[in-house]
């Protein structure tokens, strides 16, 4: 009744993943968790946003935090509804949305949210890096000296979180991200901890991680 062919494609993909079969058994009915009212609201928001000048496409997804159930999913390109689902099938560079998971690893290792690190240009040299060096600057080139991890999260300070990754250990942080399905096994680039991964992530993976 929703008349959204892409939901059929999403369901087929999810069934293949759940069963591990390229051609799963004949399934006649699939119940979805979409809330029709929220779906209309999200469609209206994405349609309006994608019609604005200089915006090519908009994708969004609503999930219930307690269960992870998808209650609305939308994708519009130049004001028209897309046939595919960027939320499920597309990828983004997640950027600062990964920082709370890095902070979680810090808390699990015994640090406090009030612990302080330096906000300043960061350079880490290691033979394990592709270019032998990992260099991080703040997006706006504003640095604040010693600040708490809590404050760094609010300000999304890349240099503080780069130092935090160095202190915690790249492998420990990446394992934490992998635990939440945000990086793939074998990821070794410390930039992944700041949301810059080789393959990117999907909106549904990010939403499920937060849920």
């Amino acid at each position: 009744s929703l008349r959204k062919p892409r939901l059929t494609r999403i369901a087929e993909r999810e069934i293949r993943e759940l069963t591990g079969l390229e051609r799963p058994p004949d399934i006649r009915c699939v119940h979805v968790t979409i809330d029709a009212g929220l779906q209309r609201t999200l469609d209206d928001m994405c349609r309006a946003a994608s019609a604005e000048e200089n915006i090519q496409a908009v994708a969004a997804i609503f999930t219930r935090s307690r269960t992870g159930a998808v209650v609305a999913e939308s994708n519009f390109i130049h004001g028209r509804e897309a046939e595919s689902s960027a939320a499920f099938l597309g990828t983004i560079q997640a950027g600062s949305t990964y920082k709370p998971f890095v902070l979680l690893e810090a808390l699990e290792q015994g640090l406090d949210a009030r612990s302080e690190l330096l906000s300043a240009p960061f350079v880490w040299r290691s033979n394990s890096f592709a270019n032998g060096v990992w260099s991080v600057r703040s997006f706006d080139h504003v640095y604040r000296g010693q600040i708490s991890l809590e404050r760094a999260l609010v300000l999304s300070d890349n240099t503080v979180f780069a130092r935090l990754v160095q202190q915690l250990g790249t492998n420990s942080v990446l394992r934490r991200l992998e635990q939440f399905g945000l990086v793939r096994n074998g990821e070794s680039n410390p930039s992944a901890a700041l949301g810059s991964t080789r393959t990117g992530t999907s909106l549904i993976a990010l939403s499920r991680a937060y849920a």
Side-chain angles (χ1 to χ4, degrees):
S1 63
L2 291 166
R3 294 177 180 163
K4 292 183 179 293
R6 71 169 178 272
L7 290 181
T8 300
R9 286 189 280 273
I10 293 169
E12 290 171 344
R13 173 179 176 270
E14 293 286 296
I15 290 167
R16 284 196 299 272
E17 288 189 359
L18 286 169
T19 62
L21 302 173
E22 185 59 32
R23 297 186 66 180
D26 185 19
I27 295 174
R28 301 301 178 92
C29 182
V30 174
H31 293 274
V32 297
T33 53
I34 298 294
D35 180 304
L38 286 175
Q39 183 64 57
R40 285 192 295 271
T41 298
L42 189 61
D43 283 342
D44 290 343
M45 292 167 60
C46 289
R47 181 185 295 106
S50 71
E52 292 183 11
E53 189 178 358
N54 299 324
I55 294 182
Q56 184 177 26
V58 176
I61 193 163
F62 284 171
T63 61
R64 298 204 184 281
S65 296
R66 183 172 297 175
T67 63
V70 176
V71 292
E73 173 275 343
S74 190
N75 190 188
F76 278 77
I77 301 174
H78 294 309
R80 300 186 65 178
E81 190 164 11
E83 294 182 1
S84 62
S85 171
F88 275 81
L89 305 177
T91 57
I92 59 170
Q93 290 299 323
S96 295
T97 57
Y98 278 17
K99 288 188 175 77
F101 299 93
V102 179
L103 182 56
L104 173 62
E105 176 62 20
L107 297 176
E108 291 285 358
Q109 288 196 27
L111 275 71
D112 189 282
R114 292 166 294 184
S115 300
E116 294 188 349
L117 284 176
L118 181 64
S119 168
F122 173 82
V123 176
W124 183 7
R125 301 185 187 280
S126 172
N127 292 333
S128 64
F129 301 149
N131 298 321
V133 63
W134 184 35
S135 179
V136 179
R137 302 288 185 272
S138 73
F139 177 75
D140 51 5
H141 299 286
V142 174
Y143 304 101
R144 303 166 178 90
Q146 292 289 132
I147 60 172
S148 69
L149 298 180
E150 182 179 33
R151 183 72 173 150
L153 180 64
V154 171
L155 297 170
S156 190
D157 193 306
N158 285 336
T159 63
V160 168
F161 275 85
R163 287 181 170 84
L164 185 58
V165 171
Q166 184 182 44
Q167 181 173 328
L168 299 174
T170 303
N171 290 338
S172 295
V173 174
L174 293 181
R175 278 196 300 270
R176 180 67 64 180
L177 291 170
E178 184 184 343
Q179 175 190 353
F180 285 92
L182 296 175
V183 299
R184 295 184 179 180
N185 185 23
E187 180 72 65
S188 60
N189 186 351
S191 295
L194 301 182
S196 178
T197 63
R198 288 195 302 262
T199 58
T201 191
S202 66
L203 289 179
I204 183 60
L206 188 60
S207 182
R208 283 174 173 168
Y210 271 87

